[in-house]
Amino acid sequence: MERNIRLLIEYDGSRYEGWQRLGKGSGVTIQGKLEEVLGKMTGENVELIGAGRTDAGVHAYEQVANFHTDCQMKCWEIKYYLNRYLPRDIAVTRVDDVPERFHSRYNAKGKKYLYRIAIGDVPCVFDRKYTYYCFDKLDITAMKKAAKYLTGEHDFKAFCSNKRMNKSSVREIYDIDIYADARELQIMVYGNGFLYNMVRIIVGTLIEVGKGERQPEDMIRILESKDRTQAGVTAPAQGLFLQEVEY
Amino acid sequence: MERNIRLLIEYDGSRYEGWQRLGKGSGVTIQGKLEEVLGKMTGENVELIGAGRTDAGVHAYEQVANFHTDCQMKCWEIKYYLNRYLPRDIAVTRVDDVPERFHSRYNAKGKKYLYRIAIGDVPCVFDRKYTYYCFDKLDITAMKKAAKYLTGEHDFKAFCSNKRMNKSSVREIYDIDIYADARELQIMVYGNGFLYNMVRIIVGTLIEVGKGERQPEDMIRILESKDRTQAGVTAPAQGLFLQEVEY
């Protein structure tokens, strides 16, 4: 395969069983849909490598993926072809030739995830599919304080849904930024990598802090416990977006 | 009826046959849905007066409506009740007692409509339901120039779909504001009142100017013609939002 092509992909994950291709007869995935169209386009059996394996229902503003091919189409032709044949909830926003050794997952140095929470007494009707609605008033100051304890390098085993995780669960969170206006609260989590469900469990735990059900200082104990049952609930997928991948 | 109550309403018009209640056996409307819930709440036959009778598929960030009632519930209770029983694509964002003579339609002094057009080679997947996608590159300078000719007091008969309109078709447009970033172009039309389909025909005509199919100066001739066939196409409903009503 003489070319390595990188795609930037935007998708509404509502209808999909997540990024990763499943076995035959299983649900529809973003990777599966893209590989299907890439296969038709190239006549090859394309394997698309995604930077982040987003869960069922999770969206992406900018997923990064790459594939190797002998296809000779120009980048703009590939972009046009893909957008023509992809369903309307998946869009390829950019196509580039990249060096042969570029690997969208292994080379990723950082990822930003955005979690959107509808707040206030009336959730916005236009963002229903893209936010999680929290009726309770949230104490943002407490949430920011709790977020500080999670920032930095820690063993995030307590924030991982995968019980059989036997690789290292140490990750570094560079920053957690919390911003709110009258109707929406956004939590941006920026780190070098994330465990299974890690962002959603962090968000679920921060929401419990915001409701006053936990104290910011509890984060220390939860991290130390390395016990999933000590952290908060996993926040619903629909509010989560893969925002950016850094290299 | 001793109280006059004003509602501010946000709705996603995608599923509805517009604002105005239709006869029995006809489609579902926003007014119809609201009156149904208000009827249950008050035990009265409520007539809800809306400021703008939006068409099928048109959305609202802030529609204004009022109704007379003897119901003794507090405003916050009414708001809570309505949002509890309304479908999730209609939200009542505010409820207030207003003077007996307040009439949401007759007293309206100005209305702002926003039209959202997805531009660029890839439309945003998250705004599909709320934008009209225009593939062609649009000349915004020409569109702004054309908009200037439409601003002010004019007979807008050429921009009205109702052929049997026998009342005055003179209206004043206070301002047309056009703004674009890389992926979306927004046209805000602000005026003292609008004829049937007027905003959508203005937008359709401005898009044709943007594509270079018409010249900005053509607006003069179109206005003078008072002939609907001289103006551009009616832009699709899904991109249109009633943004604000002024009193």
Side-chain angles (χ1 to χ4, degrees), chain A residues 9 21 23 40 75 102 172 187-188 199 218-219 222 235 241:
Chain A
I9 308 153
R21 178 182 2 98
K40 274 186 204 153
C75 287
F102 173 81
E172 184 175 354
I187 301 178
M188 192 276 296
V199 179
D218 293 349
M219 300 305 112
I222 298 171
F241 293 73

Side-chain angles (χ1 to χ4, degrees), chain B residues 40-57:
Chain B
K40 273 186 204 154
M41 185 184 82
T42 59
E44 299 164 2
N45 207 341
V46 173
E47 197 201 331
L48 186 65
I49 304 155
R53 285 170 284 192
T54 55
D55 290 344

Side-chain angles (χ1 to χ4, degrees), chain A residues 10 12 79 121 125 183, chain B residues 10 79 121 125 128 183:
Chain A
E10 174 181 88
D12 173 344
K79 182 175 165 187
D121 55 354
V125 300
R183 298 184 77 187
Chain B
E10 176 181 85
K79 182 175 166 189
D121 55 354
V125 299
R128 285 167 298 157
R183 298 184 77 187

Side-chain angles (χ1 to χ4, degrees), chain A:
Chain A
M1 301 290 181
E2 61 180 66
R3 285 173 84 186
N4 186 9
I5 292 176
R6 185 190 65 194
L7 309 179
L8 301 188
I9 308 153
E10 174 181 88
Y11 52 81
D12 173 344
S14 312
R15 289 200 305 138
Y16 298 93
E17 292 296 318
W19 169 264
Q20 197 160 20
R21 178 182 2 98
L22 304 168
K24 278 205 172 174
S26 307
V28 183
T29 66
I30 321 283
Q31 183 188 20
K33 270 285 165 202
L34 280 157
E35 287 183 347
E36 191 185 309
V37 181
L38 286 167
K40 274 186 204 153
M41 186 185 83
T42 58
E44 300 165 0
N45 208 342
V46 173
E47 197 201 331
L48 186 65
I49 304 154
R53 286 170 284 192
T54 55
D55 291 342
V58 173
H59 319 289
Y61 288 125
E62 196 175 283
Q63 167 77 282
V64 179
N66 72 294
F67 67 100
H68 294 267
T69 182
D70 285 327
C71 167
Q72 291 305 311
M73 288 165 74
K74 293 192 177 74
C75 287
W76 69 265
E77 290 173 318
I78 294 173
K79 182 175 165 187
Y80 183 83
Y81 185 100
L82 293 176
N83 287 313
R84 183 165 159 74
Y85 291 104
L86 282 168
R88 289 180 61 206
D89 45 13
I90 304 177
V92 173
T93 56
R94 195 171 165 151
V95 177
D96 289 291
D97 274 285
V98 287
E100 196 200 327
R101 301 189 54 173
F102 173 81
H103 189 288
S104 54
R105 188 156 62 250
Y106 299 154
N107 295 160
K109 292 215 162 46
K111 283 192 198 120
K112 280 182 187 166
Y113 279 93
L114 182 74
Y115 198 95
R116 298 176 56 187
I117 303 166
I119 54 171
D121 55 354
V122 189
C124 176
V125 300
F126 302 108
D127 294 324
R128 284 167 297 155
K129 282 171 67 188
Y130 309 120
T131 53
Y132 159 60
Y133 176 50
C134 180
F135 180 82
D136 302 270
K137 202 168 154 38
L138 298 174
D139 177 345
I140 297 174
T141 310
M143 292 171 77
K144 284 186 176 173
K145 216 170 150 189
K148 278 268 175 286
Y149 289 107
L150 299 175
T151 308
E153 191 175 80
H154 300 284
D155 186 334
F156 284 98
K157 207 170 163 66
F159 293 87
C160 174
S161 288
N162 184 355
K163 285 178 188 161
R164 286 163 303 185
M165 177 85 186
N166 43 29
K167 285 188 244 172
S168 166
S169 45
V170 173
R171 295 290 185 278
E172 184 175 354
I173 291 186
Y174 304 135
D175 190 25
I176 300 179
D177 195 29
I178 302 176
Y179 162 84
D181 62 21
R183 298 184 77 187
E184 186 168 323
L185 185 148
Q186 299 189 337
I187 301 178
M188 192 276 296
V189 186
Y190 172 33
N192 65 351
F194 295 93
L195 306 169
Y196 185 54
N197 281 166
M198 180 170 151
V199 179
R200 289 165 59 189
I201 300 170
I202 287 176
V203 168
T205 309
L206 290 178
I207 289 174
E208 291 173 14
V209 171
K211 288 180 183 175
E213 295 168 5
R214 291 170 186 269
Q215 297 308 310
E217 299 73 31
D218 293 349
M219 300 305 112
I220 306 169
R221 190 186 46 74
I222 298 171
L223 283 168
E224 281 171 359
S225 77
K226 298 178 193 176
D227 174 4
R228 169 68 189 91
T229 66
Q230 298 300 305
V233 299
T234 306
Q238 67 182 55
L240 185 61
F241 293 73
L242 172 55
Q243 187 171 30
E244 201 186 326
V245 186
E246 286 189 343
Y247 292 93

